[in-house]
Amino acid sequence: MDDQDRTPATSGNGARARRILTDIAPRAWEHPADKAALAALRKLPVFDEVLRRLFGFFGEKPIRLAFQANAVKVGPDQFPRIYGLYKDALRTLDVEIEYDLFVSQTPIVNAGAYGMDQPFIILNSGTVALLDDDELSYIIGHELGHILSDHVLYRTMTVLLIQLAGMGFPIVGLAARAVLVALLEWGRKAEFSCDRAGLLTVQNPEVVMNGLMKMAGGGDHEQMNLQAFIQQAEDYREGGDVADQVFKILNLLGATHPFPVLRVSELRTWIESGAYDRILRGEYPRRGEPDPDYQEDLREAASAYADGAKDFLDSTGGGARRLGESLVGGGRRCPAGVPGPRSPGEGGPRPRG
């Protein structure tokens, strides 16, 4: 199939053409920080032990049954509209295997790709109800990205560990908790990769950003403004002092997904780099081609983390300087209503203004 071929996309906004990304390799959309976090995860001394015990205890079939017990399999006769969107997504990403797709009666807006040897996708009914067809296609492409990038084993492991930790079920004690923290850190980076896969599926940045906005706020297009949300994303990413940066990190601990505003910023950065347009022009790695030099891959991953660390340190330094200036100059310029330092030997409580 030629890279110039296009496939009609069934859409709530009418049919439009999408480029079929023939033989596209998953590394075309994988975020460097995703690769770096996964490499760090695999180096944990207890990682293999936790993985072996967890799946040795459960096995493939019970896991599939547990996830699918409260769901309906999508097909020509069950959710045919969603099935049509799914077939379009498979064609666009040139995926030959039709992985099982389910819709689960769950009001929380979410979706997931799980499994071991036989991956499958679950869409929550809350997601189906909230998003239009194009936005739902983005979600389907996002989850296909997880499967094609071999994320599903570790994502399944993350969900199981979260559930077992909540029940107080000991697998390997504190070792499992350390692995869970590392899995969550990697999982948030993996979302950045698969947002790119979802964008390549719908090939319309506005659709993806609108979908993320709706998942953040739960409203409809008449009640929300995408440009305002993009500005909100930039304000979040750039603003704040050291305390704000610390709270940003603390807010993410235990979260399975990055904040939607961060995902919008990451996508915009990728688009502005020109990588997205190059892929649509057919300039991308193909399946079966040798991977790029491993050291180059590590350099890209290190660069992604270094940029994030620099942003954090810059904010930290700025916050520290402002804090120092406030302390040093406290006797000269105190904020209104805040008592200044006492002179040596001065006693007694200060009068309240």
Side-chain angles (χ1 to χ4, degrees):
M1 188 180 297
D2 189 274
D3 289 330
Q4 302 300 317
D5 289 345
R6 294 176 179 268
T7 181
T10 304
S11 164
N13 300 323
R16 60 181 179 78
R18 294 180 191 154
R19 184 180 299 279
I20 296 176
L21 303 173
T22 306
D23 286 332
I24 188 170
R27 67 177 182 271
W29 61 70
E30 287 168 352
H31 194 289
D34 169 9
K35 301 175 187 178
L38 186 56
L41 172 65
R42 288 169 172 161
K43 289 179 181 177
L44 283 178
V46 295
F47 180 73
D48 287 339
E49 180 187 0
V50 173
L51 183 67
R52 184 172 58 253
R53 291 196 185 189
L54 187 65
F55 287 104
F57 181 81
F58 286 99
E60 169 87 18
K61 186 175 181 180
I63 288 176
R64 287 180 64 86
L65 291 175
F67 277 89
Q68 298 168 9
N70 189 32
V72 172
K73 185 176 179 180
V74 173
D77 300 319
Q78 299 271 43
F79 295 103
R81 178 178 59 85
I82 296 175
Y83 184 65
L85 299 176
Y86 183 39
K87 296 289 283 187
D88 283 343
L90 291 170
R91 282 192 292 271
T92 302
L93 295 181
D94 195 24
V95 182
E96 296 182 356
I97 301 174
E98 186 176 309
Y99 303 98
D100 287 346
L101 173 65
F102 297 83
V103 173
S104 174
Q105 173 56 28
T106 308
I108 298 173
V109 178
N110 203 353
Y114 308 103
M116 295 169 63
D117 296 327
Q118 301 176 34
F120 56 93
I121 298 171
I122 292 184
L123 301 175
N124 287 4
S125 59
T127 304
V128 175
L130 178 67
L131 304 182
D132 67 23
D133 284 3
D134 283 340
E135 294 158 355
L136 197 56
S137 292
Y138 146 65
I139 295 295
I140 292 171
H142 176 109
E143 299 305 331
L144 279 173
H146 281 305
I147 292 176
L148 298 173
S149 289
D150 292 324
H151 291 164
V152 288
L153 177 64
Y154 301 132
R155 282 167 55 86
T156 305
M157 185 178 179
T158 303
V159 172
L160 290 175
L161 283 176
I162 289 173
Q163 292 179 344
L164 292 172
M167 297 166 58
F169 192 94
I171 299 178
V172 287
L174 292 176
R177 294 183 183 274
V179 169
L180 177 56
V181 171
L183 278 167
L184 288 168
E185 167 64 15
W186 160 74
R188 291 189 291 269
K189 302 298 188 293
E191 294 301 312
F192 294 143
S193 293
C194 295
D195 280 340
R196 297 175 176 184
L199 173 56
L200 292 172
T201 300
V202 297
Q203 298 175 12
N204 186 334
E206 187 173 332
V207 164
V208 177
M209 294 180 193
N210 269 317
L212 288 167
M213 179 178 65
K214 288 169 73 172
M215 287 188 286
D220 56 39
H221 296 305
E222 294 181 358
Q223 301 297 319
M224 294 184 293
N225 181 280
L226 180 57
Q227 290 306 312
F229 186 66
I230 290 173
Q231 184 59 52
Q232 177 184 336
E234 292 306 305
D235 291 345
Y236 179 87
R237 185 165 188 159
E238 297 174 2
D241 57 15
V242 59
D244 295 322
Q245 296 297 330
V246 171
F247 281 120
K248 287 178 183 179
I249 295 171
L250 292 176
N251 286 340
L252 279 173
L253 291 179
T256 57
H257 290 67
F259 297 137
V261 291
L262 290 179
R263 295 167 69 176
V264 167
S265 290
E266 285 292 328
L267 269 180
R268 293 185 70 223
T269 299
W270 188 58
I271 293 167
E272 291 166 2
S273 75
Y276 168 65
D277 286 331
R278 287 194 295 272
I279 291 175
L280 293 189
R281 291 198 303 265
E283 301 172 21
Y284 55 80
R286 265 68 175 175
R287 295 190 282 261
E289 292 179 352
D291 286 348
D293 181 72
Y294 179 66
Q295 293 302 320
E296 180 62 29
D297 199 40
L298 284 182
R299 279 194 292 271
E300 289 183 10
S303 176
Y305 269 133
D307 290 344
K310 183 179 183 301
D311 291 343
F312 177 78
L313 289 174
D314 286 347
S315 297
T316 301
R321 283 192 298 273
R322 289 190 294 274
L323 180 60
E325 290 169 359
S326 175
L327 291 174
V328 172
R332 297 187 299 271
R333 55 181 189 279
C334 296
V338 178
R342 302 182 187 184
S343 301
E346 182 180 356
R350 282 191 167 273
R352 298 184 180 273

